[in-house]
Amino acid sequence: MLRSAYLRRQDGFIREILWVAVVIAIAAVVVLDGMSIFTAHQAVRNDSATAAKEARTEFAQTLSLPAAKIAAQQYLSKSGLTLLSFTSSQSLEGTAVFTVKSKASAPTYVFRFLGIVPGLKKWVDRTTHPVGSGSSE
């Protein structure tokens, strides 16, 4: 009888250790997915503005709009972003202002599977593929 009670306590201990390991694994996946999404959103915001500044620099050197667009596109491709639109205008002071709109992709482990739930697909797509713009002002 003592041996049976000892084994029951061991099974409980192992079960508790397994639950703790499962909870830690789930928390780690949630944190990693959150970091990936946050990084993608930050990259869209910062890299779009930097690409617009790169376009302005290229335009100042060559006075060519196609070359400016290529410079912005190359900067974004190095960062892993996709160029969605490129516009140029003139400010009140007479300087060229470039606006770059880009899209990123956040690779996630589990978050992307929330799109299977009806009604969440668009939200998951917007969250894991952020779009942002930046200007060279």
Side-chain angles (χ1 to χ4, degrees), residues 4-62:
S4 175
Y6 175 74
L7 289 177
R8 274 194 301 247
R9 282 193 305 253
Q10 283 292 51
D11 290 343
F13 179 72
I14 291 172
R15 192 176 321 120
E16 289 176 14
I17 293 295
L18 287 175
W19 277 111
V20 169
V22 167
V23 168
I24 289 173
I26 290 171
V29 168
V30 168
V31 168
L32 288 174
D33 281 358
M35 287 174 46
S36 177
I37 291 168
F38 176 76
T39 302
H41 281 268
Q42 289 294 101
V44 162
R45 189 175 319 134
N46 296 336
D47 289 345
S48 294
T50 305
K53 291 174 186 169
E54 289 284 328
R56 182 178 63 187
T57 302
E58 183 66 28
F59 182 76
Q61 293 173 355
T62 64

